[in-house]
Structure formats: structure tokens, C-alpha cells
Amino acid sequence: MKLLIKNIKNLVQVEENPRIKVAGTDMKTLPCIEDAWLAIEEDKIIDFGKMEDFPGIVDWSGLQVIDATGKLVFPSWCDSHSHIVFAASREQEFVDRINGLTYQEIAKRGGGILNSVKKLREVSEEELIESALKRLNEVMMQGTGAIEIKSGYGLSVEAELKMLRVIKKLKTLSPLTIKATFLGAHAVPTEYKDRKQDYISLIINEMLPQIAEEKLADYCDVFCENGYFTAEETIQILTAAKGFGLTPKVHAEQLSNSGGVKAGVKVGAISVDHLEYLNDEDIAALKSSETMPTILPGAQFFLQEPFPPARKMIDSGLPLAIASDYNPGSSPSGNMNFMVSLACIQYKMTPEEAINAATINSAYSMGLSKTHGSIAIGKQANIFITKEISSYSFLPYSFSNNSIETVIINGQIINA
Ligand code: NIG
Ligand code: FE
């Protein structure tokens, strides 16, 4: 199938020479073409340009044309961090926090991650697939075109494998591009309370070999935090995971500075995520690495943690990515438009910086730089067309309003 989108008011994030990431002052630039056209064939972007240079079409047979007068075209958001497979919501903990308890206090009482673990172990793969598909469809209509999904609510061999098999199934059922991450080290399960090293041995000696054999994950992640896993344990687990062909990621410096960034850099993590308690030493460590610092504005906002030092990171020359962290405990929304708005409003990132962070840089955080994250010839035709809006800055400005009119995934127009 061929698709031509013409009279595009502004074609956003266009690249003649695709980059794998954007850092520092380069993040202030968002390459665009005004009054543009874009051609898609099958599931790929095949060409684009200015309307005044439109070459004309020789063969109109089977060509579908969309007139985007007054509208903008964006590459779909890349959401490089989510926990979208879960069994139940946790609004009671939300109410408990309103009434004064902290996330950590709730966790100590058996709530938090362990609450989701209890519920996930009770439900079938089919139920998990059904609810996760609903969420995937929802975020797709909000402009997400690629998403990473973590395990980590199983925490036993059987339940972690169940979660990862669900994610594998979702890859075939959803049109979205999906990457899978093994997060067995999300918390220490109740059965291993006071026996953390035994649980780590279970991860390394039983979970990882089976996951590698069934090819169930692309990445391995660890929640490096006080009361969860230390920096040393993070290094131990991720080094073992690398031996099984899994690329490291880290949940780092979310609730305290616990050494997750330095641990991630040491093991060559593709991304370190959260970063609310990032310090200057961490910035220095990141500067000498290929690791993508990734902020999760939804979780920071929902838990009311301090702002990650986004400006400081960018101003010191680092790249920065944005993801949603969609999960029932700390970010019950996967709406990337809202994450981009939060980054602009709260962290003083410019719209250009935030859009770069949620496209090219978040594609890097999930190993998709070559195929996603920008409008470039040969890339996957995952894009969205806005309603008639005045400029790309209107999108983060008009927070929580829906500026998206049409979603195209793999070259297909998606009907809600
Ligand atoms: O990224 N920090 C650890 N994991 C999730 C929260 C998971 C949960 O509360 O269920 C996060 O914020
Ligand atoms: Fe997370």
C-alpha cells in the first residue's frame, strides 16, 4: 500500500542523515520542513520534501492521499520504560499517600511492588494479555509507536517466565514495536525476605538461563535503591545478564542516591532511568559513557519526588531521554504527550529538547535508533498527524488536551 500525506503544515523531526542520539545544545534544534509532503510504502517511510518541490505522481493506482492542511506530522513517541503488564490497579495506595504515608512505608507494609506481585501470580496469561493489550491500544492512540515492557511483578521463576511470555505474545498481537526487559530484581519477594543473596542466585542461576534459552528478553534491569538492590548487587546481576546476551538497564537514583548510575555506567547500561537524586559525580560518570540518561516525569510527578536535574544534564552536554514508566504504583499513565508537557513545565526543558528526548533519544534507550524516533527514509512508518494546531510548541503547552487526530503504525491508519 502507498500513502501520501500532502500539505503538511510542519513535518517535525525530519532527518536527511539520521543520528543515533542528540546531546547538549544540539537538543535545542528540532529539524522540520514547513509545507511538506511525506510518502509511505508498505510499512516504511520512502520519501518526503517541500510541497513546492513535489515531484508529482506517475502511478496513482492504489494510492491513498491524506490532506494535512493546517496539521503537523510527528514521528511516533518511543516509550523506552514501561511496566504495562500488570494484574490490577493500586488506587488504595494512592489514597494512603494522600493521607500521609510514603511510597517506602507502603512498600514496608507489603504494599507497593509486592502488592502487584501477589495479584499477578493469581491471574492467567490470557487475562494479562487482554488487559495489557487494552493499555497498549490506549497509548498507541496517544501517539506511542514503540514501547519497552518490563517483567518484575512475578519474582519467582514461574511468574517471571509467565510475564515474559505474555510480553512475547504482545509482540505478535500488537502492531506496536515492543522490546522486552527482564526485571527479576525489582524487589525481594516475601519468600526470600532476609535471604536476598539466595534470591539473587535464583535470578542468576535459574531465571536468566531459561530466559536466554527461550529468547524472552532483550534487556535486563535492576531496581537499585535502598531497601531493594545495592549498587554491588546491581553490578553482580547485570554482569551475569550480559553473559546471557541481555543488555543492562538500571532503575537509578529514584528515591535516594544509591549508586545506580555509576553501576549502570560500569556495566555499559544502554540507559539509566529515573534520576531524581542524580548528583554531579553521576553527571561526570555519564559524560564518559554511551549510557542514555532517561527521565520518567510521570513517576516523579505522581510520587512528588524532587525534579531530576534535567537542565543541568543537558547544559553539561549530556543527551536526555523521556519515557512514561507506565505502572500501577508510581505512574498510572502512559501518555507521552503529558510526559513531554511535564518536562517542559516542571524541568524547564524547551519543546525542542523534550521532543528530541521523547523521539530520537528514547529510541536509543530501547535500541531502536536505526528504525524509529525520526522521519527518515527507510525508517518505520510510525507517525501521528495532529489536529489543526499553530505550532509544535502547542503540543506540550496544551497539556492534557489531545492534539492528535490520526495515528499511523507500520504504514496503516489506526482506527480507535
Ligand atoms: O519505576 N521503581 C521501581 N519500579 C517502578 C514502580 C513499580 C511499582 O510501584 O509497582 C517505577 O517507579
Ligand atoms: Fe520503572
Side-chain angles (χ1 to χ4, degrees):
M1 209 198 64
K2 286 189 190 139
L3 180 63
L4 171 69
I5 309 172
K6 61 175 191 177
N7 299 326
I8 302 166
K9 178 173 171 158
N10 205 2
L11 182 59
V12 178
Q13 190 67 296
V14 205
E15 292 191 299
E16 298 274 356
N17 299 304
R19 297 156 295 171
I20 61 160
K21 56 182 170 182
V22 203
T25 49
D26 288 347
M27 286 186 73
K28 291 194 193 313
T29 307
L30 186 63
C32 296
I33 302 178
E34 282 178 16
D35 196 20
W37 59 274
L38 173 70
I40 290 169
E41 185 164 2
E42 302 298 339
D43 59 345
K44 298 286 187 295
I45 292 167
I46 57 162
D47 212 352
F48 54 79
K50 275 188 94 63
M51 280 310 286
E52 63 194 36
D53 303 326
F54 185 59
I57 290 168
V58 187
D59 177 13
W60 285 86
S61 56
L63 181 74
Q64 190 172 359
V65 181
I66 297 177
D67 189 332
T69 301
K71 300 167 185 175
L72 277 56
V73 171
F74 280 72
S76 296
W77 305 124
C78 292
D79 186 354
S80 61
H81 184 139
S82 91
H83 309 249
I84 209 166
V85 174
F86 56 86
S89 59
R90 300 202 325 242
E91 61 271 26
Q92 185 52 49
E93 294 175 10
F94 166 66
V95 177
D96 291 343
R97 281 194 297 105
I98 293 170
N99 288 322
L101 288 180
T102 65
Y103 182 83
Q104 291 97 315
E105 283 164 350
I106 291 167
K108 279 210 185 84
R109 302 195 316 184
I113 295 166
L114 294 182
N115 178 358
S116 284
V117 169
K118 193 168 169 289
K119 290 182 175 136
L120 183 125
R121 288 179 181 179
E122 287 162 5
V123 304
S124 68
E125 281 189 29
E126 290 68 32
E127 284 170 279
L128 289 172
I129 289 168
E130 197 185 304
S131 61
L133 260 182
K134 279 195 192 131
R135 292 179 203 117
L136 286 174
N137 287 337
E138 184 182 81
V139 298
M140 180 163 64
M141 298 322 291
Q142 293 164 345
T144 295
I147 188 164
E148 178 258 21
I149 310 176
K150 299 176 196 294
S151 69
Y153 291 134
L155 310 189
S156 66
V157 178
E158 187 195 8
E160 280 298 303
L161 289 174
K162 173 167 92 173
M163 271 194 96
L164 289 168
R165 289 187 190 120
V166 164
I167 300 170
K168 192 173 182 177
K169 198 76 205 277
L170 292 171
K171 289 186 182 185
T172 66
L173 295 174
S174 168
L176 293 178
T177 304
I178 294 175
K179 291 279 185 161
T181 298
F182 168 54
L183 180 56
H186 198 188
V188 180
T190 322
E191 329 64 284
Y192 283 87
K193 197 168 177 276
D194 307 322
R195 289 194 296 136
K196 198 179 359 169
Q197 262 311 320
D198 289 348
Y199 182 60
I200 293 173
S201 301
L202 185 80
I203 291 176
I204 294 175
N205 300 325
E206 299 205 31
M207 295 186 190
L208 280 171
Q210 289 199 52
I211 290 162
E213 195 180 314
E214 284 188 49
K215 294 194 173 40
L216 288 173
D218 306 292
Y219 300 104
C220 181
D221 196 345
V222 176
F223 187 17
C224 181
E225 187 57 65
N226 257 326
Y228 295 84
F229 295 88
T230 64
E232 292 69 37
E233 290 159 352
T234 301
I235 293 170
Q236 185 192 0
I237 294 163
L238 294 177
T239 304
K242 272 169 51 171
F244 286 99
L246 303 187
T247 303
K249 275 177 168 278
V250 184
H251 275 71
E253 332 304 354
Q254 180 186 13
L255 308 170
S256 67
N257 190 289
S258 301
V261 166
K262 281 182 230 139
V265 167
K266 195 162 179 188
V267 296
I270 192 164
S271 76
V272 286
D273 304 20
H274 280 292
L275 315 181
E276 283 84 338
Y277 287 85
L278 189 87
N279 64 25
D280 289 350
E281 274 184 30
D282 299 324
I283 292 183
L286 283 164
K287 283 208 73 166
S288 59
S289 80
E290 293 303 315
T291 301
M292 178 64 71
T294 301
I295 52 171
L296 310 172
Q300 176 278 316
F301 171 73
F302 194 69
L303 297 186
Q304 293 284 286
E305 290 293 330
F307 296 168
R311 273 263 53 88
K312 205 170 187 182
M313 282 188 265
I314 297 174
D315 293 344
S316 68
L318 285 175
L320 193 60
I322 292 175
S324 78
D325 199 16
Y326 194 173
N327 76 78
S330 68
S331 185
S333 165
N335 188 335
M336 286 292 285
N337 304 286
F338 185 54
M339 306 305 151
V340 168
S341 286
L342 284 177
C344 294
I345 298 162
Q346 304 212 98
Y347 315 153
K348 303 281 178 260
M349 286 172 70
T350 64
E352 293 81 4
E353 288 170 336
I355 294 167
N356 273 313
T359 55
I360 293 188
N361 284 353
S362 48
Y364 178 95
S365 285
M366 55 193 299
L368 291 176
S369 296
K370 293 209 172 106
T371 51
H372 294 66
S374 70
I375 306 284
I377 293 174
K379 281 201 174 183
Q380 201 65 17
N382 288 11
I383 63 164
F384 62 82
I385 307 174
T386 66
K387 297 173 181 168
E388 290 191 22
I389 59 173
S390 36
S391 72
Y392 58 67
S393 297
F394 182 88
L395 205 134
Y397 153 84
S398 181
F399 80 94
S400 96
N401 291 333
N402 176 22
S403 297
I404 298 177
E405 186 172 82
T406 309
V407 168
I408 296 175
I409 301 289
N410 304 326
Q412 305 286 323
I413 299 169
I414 306 288
N415 296 310

